[in-house]
Amino acid sequence: MLGLMQDQPLLISSLLTHAERYHPRSEIVSVTCEGETVRSSWGQLARRARQAAQALLAMGVKPGDRVATLAWNTHRHLELYYAAAGIGAVLHTVNPRLFPEQIEYILNHGGAEVLLFDLPFLGLVDGLAGKIPNIRHQVVLTDAAHLPEGRDTLASYETLIAAEDGTLVWPRFDERSASGLCYTSGTTGNPKGVLYSHRSTVLHAFLCCQVDGLHLSRDDSTLLAVPLFHVNAWGIPYASAMCGAKLVLPGPKLDGESLFSLAVAEECTFSLGVPTVWLGLFKYLDEAGIDVQRLPFQRVLIGGSAAPRALLQRFHDAGVHAFQAWGMSETSPVATVAALLPHHRDLPKSDQIDVLARQGRAMFGVELKIVAEDGSELPQDGSVSGELMVRGPWVTSGYYGGVGGQVVDADGWFATGDVAKIDSEGFVTLTDRSKDVIKSGGEWISSIELENAALGHPAVEAAAVVGVTHERWQERPLMLVIRKPGSAAEPQEILDFLADKVARWWLPDALVFVDTLPLTATGKLDKKVLRAAWKDHLVGA
Amino acid sequence: MLGLMQDQPLLISSLLTHAERYHPRSEIVSVTCEGETVRSSWGQLARRARQAAQALLAMGVKPGDRVATLAWNTHRHLELYYAAAGIGAVLHTVNPRLFPEQIEYILNHGGAEVLLFDLPFLGLVDGLAGKIPNIRHQVVLTDAAHLPEGRDTLASYETLIAAEDGTLVWPRFDERSASGLCYTSGTTGNPKGVLYSHRSTVLHAFLCCQVDGLHLSRDDSTLLAVPLFHVNAWGIPYASAMCGAKLVLPGPKLDGESLFSLAVAEECTFSLGVPTVWLGLFKYLDEAGIDVQRLPFQRVLIGGSAAPRALLQRFHDAGVHAFQAWGMSETSPVATVAALLPHHRDLPKSDQIDVLARQGRAMFGVELKIVAEDGSELPQDGSVSGELMVRGPWVTSGYYGGVGGQVVDADGWFATGDVAKIDSEGFVTLTDRSKDVIKSGGEWISSIELENAALGHPAVEAAAVVGVTHERWQERPLMLVIRKPGSAAEPQEILDFLADKVARWWLPDALVFVDTLPLTATGKLDKKVLRAAWKDHLVGA
Ligand SMILES: Nc1ncnc2c1ncn2[C@@H]1O[C@H](COP(=O)(O)OP(=O)(O)OP(=O)(O)O)[C@@H](O)[C@H]1O
Ligand SMILES: Nc1ncnc2c1ncn2[C@@H]1O[C@H](COP(=O)(O)OP(=O)(O)OP(=O)(O)O)[C@@H](O)[C@H]1O
Ligand SMILES: [Mg+2]
Ligand SMILES: [Mg+2]
């Protein structure tokens, strides 16, 4: 017997309609690629999103069509989030930091006919001329004044939407309809597209607004230091409309100085981003001699890769509640959130940070388990590690176009490719990505734990550990370290420092100082590149 | 094109499974009808709920079957919330405060074959012997020791569940399946059944856990002063599992002394209930000479009928953030929540309380409008009032068994029977229920505003205003007042007090002191009874 409650779909357009009605004056502050700071509000954004939707319709965009973007965090990009999804189209955000060949692959695979991009990406798009044949419309996210001369095929976004009256009424449709498409960066094989739905997006927004979730509320001013092209900017664009939070969009500038001054100017209470961004912020504060107490944040969410303990410590020393969440493109992304439990309240601060340095516990709606290589379920006892499996209404069931085939098992579990322990309280500790795991004589060594330990040494600015070929143990850990400017520490000193922090047989066989470490397009250590470069270090080329 | 996210249903059993895994030691404290205080936890509750589910299955309960309860707030009743819904049956909570004829009607209309009830209701159930022919199983929510002798047809709940091993695995099914049934008290005509679904229930739980919703979190210890038989106890049984909050169930005792001592003993941070309950609490504190600062609550939600401003003020004076929400059985119930907006922060406390004394603003998911008698939409300008219409995924689309016919219009709007103004910011102010509105010479007078104003007078303990027959104006307001013990105020003094608080022509034509005011089974003023008793007061019988 079915219940008799209304069959109202969970639609992304409802989030915007809600924000327009109940939070019209809540601000949207946007730094554009032209360098202007544009101040608007959810009320204005809602109207402009309708105009943008009308402009998309005028270009012939139909329900289910993909609409591609190559753009930074600005109000225009945010408008497109709502405009495209609102008319039943699919916003396909493409990461402009990828290599042109990857962008070409992703655009062609996604199949959008409309591409909207920021002016700085004009060269990139021009370079793809002739290689992205689906694209019928190229729109630059700028106004007529900034549009380059003599480029008839380029339209200006501001000109297009100015021609529309904003009277569109958002259509209603099945909440399972596709709303967004985002390709994983492809550190393994070709990038694969995750196709979100209205339902998954709205449910995920509820998670963000939960007290014990991301705690997003009307009182927040959020500095969005995670790009809109990276997994829905972790759901914040949607959740902010749900609760009417102020949103601060930093545009192309994610350097420490830009983020700090924007955060101060806009009195940001909350921010979120990958560890690299925060390391950059503290580097700037240190170099500029700025007191970290001036950081206005109350909360900072660190995700995308393991939050170094030392980073969490720095935030907490500055009075900022930094915490970690785990997720992936395939999980919308938030799946776990680290939070103190009541019995942690009386612990010394440093032990509390240990808790927050773990990847957290599953939020309601997300089910987790770990399995052995043969697929059998492993105990969640905090010591055994295995591949993390995830299930839930905002977890993918397959990739766009069927790429990768069947990716969930018969019971609906998705294999994350992450290796983790789960303790009796449900805290997940990610030890590695399965492709990065170091297999020494058949036993696993966690590169994340080694890196985390090294980052506790005052001379270490960044550290990466990869498995390299070893004659006796097949693979052994090699640690690559960027030293802090001015430090004269020797490799052995850092290895000695690690000695009482990890198992003896985990200690890297070598530690090499490097000037830079390669990052992926989402700001993570690119271990594929490192492994290729260093694989023969212990055996000789 | 559909998205590719997992098709995982939103099920009530998932809430419990989540709580069992992630919050097993979070407490459930229950005062039983036998007077014991039983301390358990979400972990224990989950196991017992599975045992209870097995017991229901053993009695032949099948998906879609109704399972009826006549019970107070205890862990056993809470277990049944999950046990019944978990196996796809429908928990039919019946309000034991109703008249026996109404209970008979509701049980027969609901059609349950199993009735579970607290021991104090044995007399009530015995009185219905022969009149509730569907009921095949009568289970007393107690243990064997408390079961009356020689009653072969009665089973003890504890005995039944002790026979089960708790190994049941919750089945998966369509999230739109019916999960609960609750009849409105029927102040107009026969009671009507609202049939909730798993989907509506889980979505509503998300609302409760939102920062700007009811702000329920893992850190809360909630004193549930709203009965489990009253609209899902406002969603708290589900939301508490979602976030793992501690739950304190006061059993049959909702008097001021019992609530206060329980709140103090269990360090309750949050509570919720109808105004009558809170008036009782303060009456007790005053009479016992207890300092209101000893109330441990951080937040108190007042709903079910208009929260008197004076009551909110008392809570705030005691350092408790009391606030109001509006809803009804037909809306699961929470639809609006009153919260301060950023621009209210700098207002004097008293003005802030004015904000919180309104019924609040729609939460995401809930759409509201007001309409004129001809159904045309009215402006939301804070001055025009009309019938409140509501729409959303946790709003009913019709009553159980089709009673009342088509209750939503072609666009899906449900007519609430409440009369309200909505201001430009979206704040709803309920002026009356349409059946209680006083029509004086064709103009409407708000009984709620008059009552609220009267409650500001120090001599007024309770006040009710009803429209009574008037020769010239068809209807005029009559105010009935219970004076505070020891007060010697005269009627005219109170009328004078009102003079500058409401429009001149709203002033009641008469004010009569009474010893008691009749309440409905949900603790609201019973104006149907009052109108019948007083209708000829101004014209003479
Ligand atoms: N808090 C965290 N701690 C450790 N690792 C994390 C955390 N959050 C995310 N990750 C890592 O990031 C991954 C998800 O990243 P995402 O899907 O956005 O792109 P990617 O996995 O880096 O790209 P690709 O799948 O193409 O390699 C997770 O599978 C996990 O390995
Ligand atoms: N915060 C509030 N302020 C004023 N009135 C409220 C508030 N919350 C609820 N109400 C009143 O309570 C009603 C909902 O109550 P509910 O559906 O639980 O039973 P009932 O309406 O009293 O019973 P019946 O429909 O049989 O008369 C609303 O329609 C409204 O009139
Ligand atoms: Mg990945
Ligand atoms: Mg009602």
Side-chain angles (χ1 to χ4, degrees):
Chain A
M1 179 168 64
L2 296 188
L4 285 170
M5 304 314 275
Q6 296 185 3
D7 201 11
Q8 299 287 344
L10 302 174
L11 295 180
I12 289 172
S13 56
S14 313
L15 294 165
L16 191 60
T17 304
H18 180 79
E20 181 177 26
R21 174 64 186 94
Y22 292 100
H23 307 284
R25 282 184 294 279
S26 190
E27 283 186 291
I28 311 284
V29 179
S30 163
V31 179
T32 67
C33 293
E34 288 78 45
E36 301 158 305
T37 298
V38 177
R39 306 192 80 84
S40 70
S41 63
W42 280 108
Q44 286 165 273
L45 194 119
R47 187 186 159 78
R48 284 172 51 94
R50 285 195 298 272
Q51 291 176 287
Q54 290 174 306
L56 293 176
L57 291 172
M59 283 186 266
V61 173
K62 282 177 285 299
D65 285 357
R66 277 74 62 217
V67 172
T69 58
L70 275 169
W72 294 108
N73 288 9
T74 70
H75 62 298
R76 295 182 184 123
H77 202 180
L78 182 61
E79 285 154 18
L80 290 169
Y81 258 64
Y82 286 99
I87 57 171
V90 178
L91 188 78
H92 178 189
T93 52
V94 184
N95 185 340
R97 288 177 179 153
L98 293 169
F99 295 115
E101 305 73 52
Q102 290 175 305
I103 294 176
E104 175 188 333
Y105 172 87
I106 289 174
L107 280 174
N108 285 329
H109 195 267
E113 301 186 359
V114 179
L115 172 63
L116 303 103
F117 55 94
D118 283 335
L119 203 46
F121 302 126
L122 180 57
L124 171 66
V125 175
D126 281 347
L128 295 175
K131 296 179 186 160
I132 44 174
N134 298 316
I135 303 292
R136 289 185 294 111
H137 296 281
Q138 295 192 359
V139 180
V140 188
L141 294 167
T142 190
D143 54 21
H146 289 87
L147 207 62
E149 303 261 317
R151 296 288 308 262
D152 295 353
T153 59
L154 291 181
S156 126
Y157 176 77
E158 291 296 334
T159 307
L160 285 182
I161 74 166
E164 306 295 339
D165 63 7
T167 58
L168 173 122
V169 175
W170 299 115
R172 295 167 82 84
F173 42 75
D174 189 332
E175 68 185 27
R176 294 169 304 163
S177 302
S179 60
L181 178 63
C182 185
Y183 281 69
T184 61
S185 47
T187 60
T188 38
N190 270 328
K192 297 185 287 287
V194 181
L195 193 65
Y196 307 103
S197 70
H198 287 258
R199 172 182 165 93
S200 67
T201 303
V202 172
L203 292 176
H204 184 274
F206 275 119
L207 177 166
C208 298
C209 294
Q210 275 175 256
V211 181
D212 297 331
L214 304 192
H215 201 284
L216 198 73
S217 86
R218 178 69 175 85
D219 289 339
D220 276 316
S221 164
T222 304
L223 178 63
L224 200 66
V226 58
L228 285 168
F229 55 73
H230 190 213
V231 214
N232 311 315
W234 301 1
I236 299 301
Y238 306 113
S240 298
M242 181 177 269
C243 68
K246 172 176 171 179
L247 209 40
V248 181
L249 303 165
K253 296 197 183 148
L254 297 177
D255 63 287
E257 179 169 5
S258 304
L259 290 180
F260 177 71
S261 53
L262 205 48
V264 170
E266 302 302 333
E267 297 177 335
C268 293
T269 55
F270 180 45
S271 190
L272 60 177
V274 295
T276 324
V277 163
W278 305 123
L279 294 171
L281 175 68
F282 281 112
K283 194 167 182 211
Y284 163 72
L285 295 180
D286 290 345
E287 287 171 6
I290 296 171
D291 183 356
V292 293
Q293 299 293 338
R294 288 187 53 207
L295 285 174
F297 307 129
Q298 290 161 10
R299 305 168 347 264
V300 162
L301 170 61
I302 307 176
S305 53
R309 202 192 168 289
L311 179 61
L312 290 163
Q313 183 74 57
R314 284 218 73 181
F315 270 119
H316 282 260
D317 289 346
V320 177
H321 180 78
F323 63 106
Q324 188 161 190
W326 167 82
M328 51 198 313
S329 305
E330 292 88 339
T331 65
S332 294
V334 183
T336 69
V337 176
L340 299 179
L341 293 178
H343 68 89
H344 295 128
R345 295 285 140 125
D346 301 327
L347 292 180
K349 192 82 197 174
S350 142
D351 293 0
Q352 293 184 342
I353 291 176
D354 288 339
V355 175
L356 299 172
R358 289 182 272 172
Q359 276 67 28
R361 311 193 318 148
M363 292 298 301
F364 169 77
V366 174
E367 292 175 273
L368 295 178
K369 66 175 182 180
I370 46 176
V371 297
E373 280 182 75
D374 65 3
S376 61
E377 189 166 349
L378 293 169
Q380 304 191 4
D381 60 5
S383 62
V384 182
S385 64
E387 179 163 15
L388 190 60
M389 309 285 284
V390 59
R391 193 163 72 169
W394 50 93
V395 177
T396 197
S397 65
Y399 293 104
Y400 186 61
V403 172
Q406 179 72 23
V407 298
V408 296
D409 71 15
D411 296 323
W413 291 94
F414 173 80
T416 64
D418 284 329
V419 180
K421 303 183 276 198
I422 306 181
D423 74 11
S424 61
E425 294 189 310
F427 278 96
V428 172
T429 303
L430 224 81
T431 54
D432 244 318
R433 313 184 70 155
S434 48
K435 58 195 173 197
D436 294 336
V437 137
I438 301 160
K439 283 199 190 120
S440 171
E443 298 280 351
W444 288 1
I445 294 175
S446 161
S447 64
I448 293 183
E449 274 184 56
L450 280 169
E451 290 157 8
N452 229 328
L455 285 163
H457 189 283
V460 177
E461 179 161 309
V465 177
V466 288
V468 297
T469 310
H470 188 276
E471 286 186 351
R472 172 144 181 231
W473 302 108
Q474 293 91 55
E475 239 177 52
R476 285 295 301 160
L478 165 72
M479 180 174 277
L480 303 162
V481 163
I482 304 181
R483 255 189 310 193
K484 286 239 172 91
S487 158
E490 287 300 316
Q492 193 56 44
E493 184 185 325
I494 296 170
L495 288 171
D496 290 347
F497 173 81
L498 296 177
D500 64 350
K501 297 188 175 57
V502 297
R504 220 188 129 71
W505 62 277
W506 280 28
L507 283 178
D509 286 33
L511 188 154
V512 180
F513 289 134
V514 292
D515 291 333
T516 57
L517 285 168
L519 297 180
T520 69
T522 50
K524 308 177 189 187
L525 287 173
D526 195 335
K527 297 204 175 168
K528 194 163 69 167
V529 169
L530 286 176
R531 266 191 300 271
W534 294 88
K535 65 178 192 310
D536 298 327
H537 185 73
L538 296 180
V539 290
Chain B
M1 179 168 64
L2 296 187
L4 285 170
M5 305 313 277
Q6 295 185 3
D7 201 11
Q8 299 288 344
L10 303 173
L11 295 180
I12 289 172
S13 56
S14 313
L15 294 165
L16 191 61
T17 304
H18 181 79
E20 182 177 25
R21 174 65 186 93
Y22 293 100
H23 307 284
R25 282 184 295 278
S26 190
E27 282 185 293
I28 311 283
V29 179
S30 163
V31 178
T32 68
C33 293
E34 289 78 44
E36 302 157 304
T37 298
V38 178
R39 307 192 78 85
S40 71
S41 62
W42 280 108
Q44 286 166 272
L45 194 119
R47 187 187 158 80
R48 284 172 50 94
R50 284 194 299 272
Q51 292 175 286
Q54 291 174 307
L56 292 177
L57 291 171
M59 284 185 266
V61 173
K62 281 176 286 300
D65 284 357
R66 276 75 61 216
V67 172
T69 59
L70 275 168
W72 294 108
N73 289 8
T74 70
H75 62 298
R76 295 180 184 125
H77 201 180
L78 182 61
E79 285 154 18
L80 290 169
Y81 258 63
Y82 286 99
I87 57 171
V90 178
L91 188 77
H92 179 188
T93 52
V94 184
N95 185 338
R97 288 177 179 154
L98 292 169
F99 294 114
E101 305 73 51
Q102 290 175 306
I103 295 176
E104 175 189 333
Y105 171 87
I106 290 173
L107 281 173
N108 285 328
H109 195 267
E113 302 187 357
V114 179
L115 173 64
L116 303 104
F117 54 93
D118 284 334
L119 203 46
F121 301 125
L122 180 57
L124 170 65
V125 174
D126 281 348
L128 295 175
K131 297 180 186 159
I132 43 173
N134 298 315
I135 304 292
R136 289 186 293 111
H137 295 280
Q138 296 192 0
V139 180
V140 188
L141 294 166
T142 191
D143 54 21
H146 288 88
L147 207 61
E149 305 260 318
R151 296 287 308 262
D152 294 352
T153 59
L154 290 181
S156 124
Y157 175 79
E158 292 296 334
T159 307
L160 286 182
I161 74 167
E164 307 295 340
D165 63 7
T167 58
L168 173 121
V169 174
W170 299 116
R172 296 167 82 83
F173 41 75
D174 189 332
E175 69 185 27
R176 294 168 306 162
S177 302
S179 60
L181 178 62
C182 185
Y183 281 67
T184 61
S185 47
T187 60
T188 39
N190 270 328
K192 298 184 286 287
V194 181
L195 192 66
Y196 307 102
S197 69
H198 287 257
R199 172 182 166 92
S200 67
T201 302
V202 172
L203 292 177
H204 185 275
F206 275 120
L207 177 167
C208 298
C209 294
Q210 275 175 258
V211 181
D212 298 330
L214 304 192
H215 202 283
L216 198 75
S217 86
R218 178 71 175 83
D219 290 337
D220 276 316
S221 164
T222 304
L223 178 63
L224 200 66
V226 58
L228 286 168
F229 55 74
H230 189 212
V231 213
N232 312 313
W234 302 0
I236 300 302
Y238 306 114
S240 298
M242 181 177 270
C243 68
K246 171 176 172 179
L247 209 40
V248 181
L249 303 165
K253 295 197 183 150
L254 297 176
D255 62 287
E257 180 168 4
S258 304
L259 291 180
F260 177 71
S261 53
L262 205 47
V264 170
E266 302 302 334
E267 298 179 332
C268 293
T269 56
F270 179 45
S271 189
L272 60 177
V274 295
T276 323
V277 163
W278 305 121
L279 294 171
L281 175 68
F282 281 112
K283 195 169 180 208
Y284 163 71
L285 296 179
D286 291 344
E287 286 170 7
I290 296 171
D291 184 354
V292 294
Q293 300 291 338
R294 288 187 53 207
L295 285 174
F297 307 129
Q298 290 161 8
R299 304 169 347 265
V300 163
L301 171 61
I302 307 176
S305 52
R309 203 193 166 289
L311 178 61
L312 290 162
Q313 182 76 56
R314 283 217 74 179
F315 270 120
H316 282 261
D317 290 346
V320 177
H321 179 79
F323 62 107
Q324 189 161 187
W326 167 84
M328 51 199 312
S329 304
E330 291 89 339
T331 65
S332 294
V334 184
T336 69
V337 175
L340 297 180
L341 292 178
H343 69 89
H344 295 129
R345 295 286 140 128
D346 301 327
L347 292 180
K349 192 82 197 176
S350 143
D351 293 0
Q352 293 183 342
I353 292 175
D354 289 338
V355 174
L356 300 171
R358 289 183 273 173
Q359 275 67 28
R361 312 195 318 150
M363 293 297 302
F364 170 76
V366 174
E367 293 175 273
L368 295 178
K369 66 176 181 179
I370 45 174
V371 297
E373 280 182 74
D374 65 3
S376 61
E377 189 167 349
L378 292 169
Q380 305 192 2
D381 60 5
S383 63
V384 182
S385 65
E387 179 163 14
L388 190 60
M389 310 284 286
V390 60
R391 193 164 72 173
W394 51 92
V395 177
T396 196
S397 65
Y399 293 104
Y400 186 61
V403 172
Q406 178 71 25
V407 298
V408 296
D409 70 15
D411 296 323
W413 292 95
F414 173 80
T416 63
D418 284 329
V419 179
K421 302 182 277 198
I422 306 181
D423 73 11
S424 61
E425 294 189 310
F427 278 96
V428 172
T429 303
L430 225 81
T431 55
D432 244 317
R433 311 184 71 156
S434 49
K435 59 194 172 196
D436 294 338
V437 137
I438 301 160
K439 281 197 192 125
S440 170
E443 299 279 352
W444 287 2
I445 294 174
S446 160
S447 64
I448 294 184
E449 275 184 54
L450 280 169
E451 289 157 7
N452 229 327
L455 285 163
H457 190 283
V460 177
E461 179 160 308
V465 177
V466 287
V468 298
T469 310
H470 189 277
E471 284 185 354
R472 174 146 178 226
W473 302 110
Q474 291 93 56
E475 240 178 49
R476 287 295 300 161
L478 166 72
M479 180 173 277
L480 303 162
V481 163
I482 304 180
R483 255 187 311 191
K484 285 238 172 91
S487 158
E490 288 300 315
Q492 192 57 44
E493 185 185 324
I494 296 170
L495 288 171
D496 290 346
F497 173 80
L498 296 178
D500 63 348
K501 296 188 176 58
V502 297
R504 220 188 128 70
W505 62 277
W506 280 28
L507 284 178
D509 287 33
L511 189 155
V512 180
F513 290 134
V514 292
D515 291 333
T516 57
L517 286 168
L519 297 180
T520 69
T522 49
K524 307 177 190 189
L525 286 173
D526 196 336
K527 297 204 176 169
K528 194 163 69 166
V529 169
L530 286 177
R531 265 192 300 271
W534 293 89
K535 67 177 188 315
D536 298 327
H537 185 72
L538 295 181
V539 289

